[in-house]
C-alpha cells in the first residue's frame, strides 16, 4: 500500500498543472500523479503529428515540470476509487491512500452511431501514442481521406494530413461553414477565411451534408451522404467532439452527468469534499450566464487545475465560469474567438452592440510580416461591458485574443477599451492610431450612445 | 476668416486620433485639422526609413482616416493663439475661429550643449520629410557613423543604418547598458539580449561613456569622450530624448512647464476650458503614483487623443495616468515593458514581489517560428496588484506586453493572473501548461504568501 497527501489521476493538460499548482501552494505535501500512459501527448498538438512535427514522439508533454517540482509519477491505470476509505486501486493491484484527490481523467472522442462506423480505417482520435502511430501509418498509405466534422480537429487534421502527401482530402460538415459551432455566427468572417485557406490548399469541403453510412466490407471504401452522394475514402477520421470520462467517478458514487461531466462547485470540489475534478472530465458553467457549459479546451483544463491545486487544503481560488478562448491557424492565417458571439449573446437575451476594425498588424504596412488583422468586439448594451470578440489576422492574433480575454474577465466597457493603454511598435503591432482593439470599441460606442 | 467648431493643431499620432475621436463623438460638428507638413511621417517608423522601408515616402500616415471622417485639412503653420478671442492665426495670415481647440504640437529632439554639436553632419531627428531625405543621403555617404544614446531611437537607428550598408556603426551611451532608462533596472535581461543582438549585427557599443566634444572643422570627423578616447565619425546621430513643444501655448498665456509640457487636467483640458492638449506637448502623470511623468510615446499620444476628442463638449473620459507600454525588435527578437520596473517600484516606496517564467512560444517546440519567451511580472505586495512587467521573445511578445498592460490597467492581482483564462494554440502561443504570464504570476505568489 502506498500513501500520498495529494494524488492526481491523469497526466495531461489538467493533471500536470494541478499537481504543479498543488506543489507551489503546499510545498510540504507529498504528491503522486498516476497516469496510464508511459509518455503523454500534448493534446492540442496531435493534429500536427500528421504533418508539421512528423511523429508522436515530437509532441510529448515533458516530465521535467513534474520531476523538478518533486512530484512522483506512477504509470498505471486507476480501476477503482473508494471515497469512504480515501483510496484508489490500480490495474496492477496497487492500493494508494490519499488525503486529497484530484480527478483529471479527461475525455474521449464521440463516435456517431452511423451504420458501418466500426469498419477498419475509421478513426476517432484517441490520445494514445500507439494508436496515433498506427493512424500515421494508415494515413501514409491513404489516397482518399474523408474527415467528418469541420471543427478545430477537422480543420487541423485535414490540413496536416494534406501536407507532404499526394492525397485527396474531403471534409464533410453538417453545418453551412467550417468552425461554425466554435464561432457561433451564421455568417462568420473567420470561418470563411479558414474555409478559403483550406480550399486554396486543395482540400474539398462538403458542407450541409449528413453522413448516413460508412461503405466497404471490412475496411472503409467510401461514405454515403443523406442526399445520396457517395465520396470515395480509404480512411475516415471522425472529429465531431468529445464526451467526459466519468466512469471512475460514477462507479464510486460521485455525482456526475454523462453530458456535462463530474459535478464540481466553483472551488472544483466534487460531491466528496476531499475529491476535486478538473479539465474535460469536470462540469463547467458559463462566465456569462452561470448555465452549464460544454466548452472542453486544454486551456480551460489548466485554468481549473490552477484553481483546484490551490484549493486542496485552503479555499483560495474560485472558478468564475468559463469564458472560452481559442484560436487556430492555417498557413499563417490565424483566427480566434473569446467569450460569446453576437448571435450567442442575443440568444441568451443580451442586447448587443458590435464594433469592428481592420488594419495592418505592422506600421507602416511595408514592414516585413505584415498581414491585415480584423477584430470584432461584442458588448452588452445594458452595462457597456464586453462579452465577446473574434479575430482574424497574422500569428500575433493568437495573443491579441488573450488581450480580449483579459478585457472580458475584468468586465471592461467599450469606453475602457477605447482608452486602453497599448504599446505599439512598427515591427510587431498595428500603429497606435489604427490599433484594432481600440477602434473596434470606438465603433461599437456609436451604437451605444 | 475661417471658422470650425473643432480645430486641431498637429497632424501626427496625437492630432489624427483626436480629430477622428471628435468626429465619432460629435458627428454634427465641423472639424478642421491644421498641420504644417504636406505629408506626415509615422513617428515610430522613422528609423525604418533608413533600412527596412527604404524612404520617407514609405512611412507616411495616410490622410484617408481624416478624409473618410469628413475632417478638413489645412496645411499651414499656426503662429499665434488668442484664447480670449477663441482664434488662431497662421503663417499665411489666415485667421481661424474655433469653439473648441486641441493642441497636438508634439515635441522636438533634445540637443545636448556639447562643444561642436552644431557642426555639419550632426543630426537630431526632426519629424520632417525633407530633413529625413537629406539625412538618408548623408547616411548613404557615411563610412563611420556614431549614434549618441542607446534608448529606442539609438538602438533602432543604429540597426537600420547598418542594414545593406558597408558602414561602421558605434553607439555611445552614458549608462552601463542599452535601453537602461526604458527598462529601469540596473541588470536587465531585455537590455542584454538587445545589446547582444546589436553586437551580433556588427554594431559597436560603448557604454558608460560621456560625449565631451564633437571634432572636425565644418563637418564632424570624430567624437571625443570624457575619458579621452576618440571615435572616428563622418556623421553623428543624436538620440537622447525630446522636449515638449510649448511655445504656442506659453505665448498665449496657457500654463506650461518646459520640462513637462502644457498643463492639462485629467480630462486633457488646459488652463483655458475650451482648449485641450494631447500627446508629447501635454503634461502627464503616473498611473501608479500620480506624480508628473516624462513618458513620451506615440501610443500615449493616441490614448490622450481619445480622451480629449470625447471630452470636447461633454466630459466623458478621464485620464487614469500613464502606464507606459513599449516594445522594440531587432531581427525578430522582441522586448517590451509595461508599467514600473521592480527597481522603479521600489524607488517609489512599493514593497515588490517579482515572478519570472520562460517557455517556448509554440507547442510542441518543434512548431515553426518557435522562440523562447520570457516574462517578468512585478507586484505590489501590499495589495497583490501587478504594477509592471517585462518581456523578451519572438514577434508575438509585442502583443503579450499589451495583455500585461490590460492586467495593470484593471489592477489584476497575482491570483487573478494565475487563473487568467487564456486561449492557446500550437502554432501561435505557448502551451497552456507553460503559459508564461500565468506562471510568472504563480512564481511571484511564492514571495507573497
Amino acid at each position: 500500500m502506498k500513501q500520498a497527501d495529494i494524488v492526481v489521476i491523469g497526466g495531461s493538460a489538467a493533471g500536470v498543472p494541478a499537481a504543479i499548482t498543488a506543489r507551489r501552494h503546499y510545498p510540504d505535501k507529498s504528491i503522486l500523479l498516476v497516469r496510464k500512459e508511459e509518455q503523454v501527448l500534448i493534446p492540442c498538438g496531435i493534429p500536427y503529428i500528421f504533418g508539421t512535427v512528423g511523429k508522436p514522439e515530437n509532441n510529448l508533454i515533458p516530465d521535467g515540470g513534474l520531476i523538478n517540482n518533486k512530484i512522483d509519477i506512477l504509470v498505471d491505470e486507476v480501476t477503482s476509487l473508494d471515497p469512504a476509505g480515501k483510496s484508489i486501486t490500480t490495474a496492477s493491484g496497487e492500493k494508494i491512500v490519499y488525503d486529497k484527490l484530484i480527478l483529471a481523467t479527461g475525455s474521449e472522442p464521440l463516435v456517431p452511431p452511423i451504420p458501418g462506423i466500426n469498419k477498419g480505417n475509421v478513426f476517432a482520435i484517441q490520445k494514445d501514442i500507439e494508436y496515433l502511430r498506427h493512424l500515421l501509418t494508415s494515413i501514409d498509405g491513404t489516397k482518399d481521406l474523408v474527415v467528418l466534422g469541420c471543427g478545430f480537429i477537422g480543420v487541423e487534421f485535414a490540413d496536416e494530413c494534406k501536407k507532404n502527401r499526394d492525397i485527396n482530402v474531403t471534409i464533410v460538415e453538417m453545418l453551412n461553414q467550417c468552425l461554425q459551432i466554435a464561432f457561433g455566427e451564421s455568417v462568420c468572417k473567420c470561418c470563411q477565411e479558414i474555409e478559403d485557406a483550406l480550399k486554396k490548399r486543395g482540400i474539398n469541403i462538403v458542407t450541409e451534408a449528413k453522413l448516413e453510412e460508412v461503405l466497404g466490407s471490412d475496411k472503409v471504401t467510401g461514405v454515403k451522404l443523406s442526399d445520396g452522394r457517395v465520396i470515395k475514402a480509404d480512411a475516415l477520421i471522425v472529429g465531431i467532439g468529445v464526451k467526459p470520462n466519468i466512469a471512475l467517478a460514477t462507479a464510486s458514487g460521485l455525482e456526475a452527468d454523462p453530458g456535462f461531466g463530474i459535478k464540481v462547485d466553483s472551488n472544483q470540489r466534487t460531491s466528496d469534499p476531499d475529491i476535486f475534478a478538473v479539465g474535460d472530465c469536470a462540469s463547467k458553467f458559463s462566465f456569462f450566464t452561470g448555465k452549464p457549459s460544454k466548452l472542453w479546451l486544454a486551456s480551460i483544463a489548466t485554468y481549473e487545475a490552477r484553481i483546484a491545486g490551490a484549493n486542496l487544503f485552503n479555499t483560495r481560488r474560485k472558478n468564475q465560469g468559463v469564458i472560452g478562448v481559442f484560436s487556430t491557424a492555417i498557413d499563417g492565417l490565424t483566427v480566434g474567438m473569446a467569450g460569446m458571439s453576437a448571435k450567442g449573446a442575443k440568444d441568451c437575451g443580451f442586447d448587443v452592440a458590435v464594433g469592428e476594425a481592420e488594419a495592418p498588424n505592422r506600421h507602416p504596412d511595408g514592414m516585413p510580416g505584415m498581414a491585415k488583422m480584423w477584430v470584432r468586439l461584442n458588448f452588452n448594451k445594458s452595462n457597456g461591458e464586453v462579452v465577446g470578440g473574434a479575430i482574424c489576422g497574422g500569428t500575433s492574433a493568437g495573443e491579441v485574443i488573450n488581450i480580449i480575454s483579459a478585457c472580458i474577465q475584468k468586465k471592461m466597457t467599450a469606453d475602457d477599451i477605447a482608452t486602453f493603454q497599448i504599446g505599439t511598435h512598427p515591427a510587431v503591432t498595428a500603429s497606435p492610431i489604427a490599433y484594432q482593439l481600440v477602434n473596434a470599441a470606438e465603433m461599437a460606442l456609436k451604437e451605444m450612445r
Side-chain angles (χ1 to χ4, degrees), chain A:
Chain A
M1 196 183 80
K2 285 191 183 217
Q3 191 279 337
D5 299 331
I6 299 165
V7 173
V8 179
I9 304 176
S12 185
V16 171
I20 292 173
T21 306
R23 167 58 65 234
R24 285 174 180 159
H25 288 261
Y26 305 104
D28 303 327
K29 300 290 183 182
S30 59
I31 308 177
L32 172 69
L33 184 143
V34 189
R35 68 185 191 209
K36 58 177 192 280
E37 309 86 359
E38 189 65 50
Q39 295 177 300
V40 184
L41 292 150
I42 299 174
C44 320
I46 291 174
Y48 300 93
I49 293 170
F50 295 83
T52 308
V53 305
K55 51 182 179 177
E57 293 76 6
N58 291 345
N59 183 52
L60 298 175
I61 299 179
D63 279 343
L66 297 172
I67 294 164
N68 294 342
N69 281 291
K70 297 189 173 47
I71 293 156
D72 294 321
I73 303 171
L74 173 67
V75 178
D76 204 343
E77 186 168 5
V78 178
T79 49
S80 73
L81 159 60
D82 171 16
K86 296 183 78 166
S87 70
I88 56 172
T89 313
T90 69
S92 69
E94 188 87 67
K95 183 177 170 182
I96 304 159
V97 175
Y98 63 80
D99 191 5
K100 304 289 175 185
L101 179 69
I102 301 179
L103 298 172
T105 51
S107 58
E108 56 190 80
L110 275 179
V111 180
I114 293 168
I117 198 77
N118 294 321
K119 289 192 203 306
N121 271 16
V122 177
F123 301 97
I125 309 307
Q126 307 286 344
K127 293 165 196 155
D128 175 89
I129 202 162
E130 275 310 320
Y131 178 89
L132 293 173
R133 268 193 205 115
H134 171 58
L135 177 52
L136 190 55
T137 310
S138 302
I139 297 297
D140 284 340
T142 292
K143 285 212 150 59
D144 299 287
L145 171 67
V146 169
V147 176
L148 178 64
C150 202
F152 288 109
I153 294 286
V155 163
E156 293 168 4
F157 259 94
D159 186 44
E160 290 295 313
C161 289
K162 183 82 184 171
K163 279 184 186 164
N164 314 318
R165 287 187 190 91
D166 184 16
I167 180 177
N168 295 314
V169 179
T170 305
I171 306 179
V172 174
E173 165 61 43
M174 277 195 351
L175 300 174
N176 70 329
Q177 224 175 18
C178 283
L179 298 175
Q180 196 89 111
I181 291 177
F183 282 88
E185 300 285 356
S186 46
V187 180
C188 163
K189 180 182 163 70
C190 296
C191 306
Q192 190 60 53
E193 296 265 354
I194 287 291
E195 202 166 298
D196 292 347
L198 289 173
K199 285 178 179 165
K200 215 173 137 191
R201 297 272 229 179
I203 291 164
N204 311 305
I205 301 173
V206 182
T207 53
E208 298 181 87
K210 201 166 172 297
L211 197 68
E212 196 173 75
E213 193 184 344
V214 179
L215 306 174
S217 49
D218 289 353
K219 282 174 74 174
V220 55
T221 56
V223 297
K224 191 176 157 193
L225 306 185
S226 57
D227 62 6
R229 273 182 290 178
V230 169
I231 301 167
K232 204 176 156 190
D234 47 14
L236 171 65
I237 290 177
V238 176
I240 60 163
V242 297
K243 60 180 178 191
N245 278 332
I246 61 169
L248 186 70
T250 49
S252 69
L254 296 178
E255 285 181 49
D257 178 288
F260 291 100
I262 303 165
K263 196 180 163 191
V264 293
D265 64 13
S266 61
N267 303 130
Q268 299 302 130
R269 204 180 293 264
T270 67
S271 50
D272 181 299
D274 292 318
I275 306 177
F276 296 73
V278 297
D280 286 3
C281 72
S283 71
K284 294 157 208 330
F285 64 98
S286 162
F287 178 83
F288 306 100
T289 63
K291 289 185 186 156
S293 165
K294 287 194 170 192
L295 276 169
W296 293 298
L297 293 167
S299 57
I300 291 178
T302 64
Y303 165 64
E304 294 170 348
R306 290 177 180 120
I307 295 167
N311 282 345
L312 294 172
F313 296 91
N314 306 85
T315 301
R316 288 177 168 162
R317 290 177 177 167
K318 205 169 138 59
N319 192 323
Q320 309 289 324
V322 294
I323 289 174
V325 191
F326 39 82
S327 48
T328 191
I330 298 287
D331 210 10
L333 170 76
T334 303
V335 298
M337 169 87 193
M340 292 196 285
S341 67
K343 184 177 175 302
K346 280 174 198 156
D347 291 349
C348 290
F350 289 84
D351 190 10
V352 179
V354 171
E356 296 181 2
E358 187 175 58
N361 65 354
R362 303 282 185 268
H363 62 290
D365 58 14
M367 290 294 285
M370 193 282 282
K372 288 261 173 140
M373 188 185 289
W374 170 90
V375 169
R376 169 190 262 195
L377 295 176
N378 309 316
F379 294 90
N380 177 353
K381 265 186 175 173
S382 75
N383 57 16
E385 290 172 6
V386 64
V387 294
I391 194 160
C392 178
T395 301
S396 59
E399 295 292 5
V400 176
I401 200 68
N402 286 325
I403 309 176
I404 296 176
S405 177
C407 297
I408 293 172
Q409 234 154 299
K410 298 313 283 184
K411 304 188 173 182
M412 284 172 83
T413 64
D415 266 311
D416 284 339
I417 300 176
T419 53
F420 187 83
Q421 296 199 39
I422 42 170
T424 56
H425 187 271
V428 293
T429 71
S431 90
I433 296 175
Y435 198 74
Q436 301 91 343
L437 192 62
V438 165
N439 283 312
E442 283 279 20
M443 297 316 282
L445 277 169
K446 284 190 173 183
E447 282 187 50
M448 294 163 85
R449 288 228 155 94

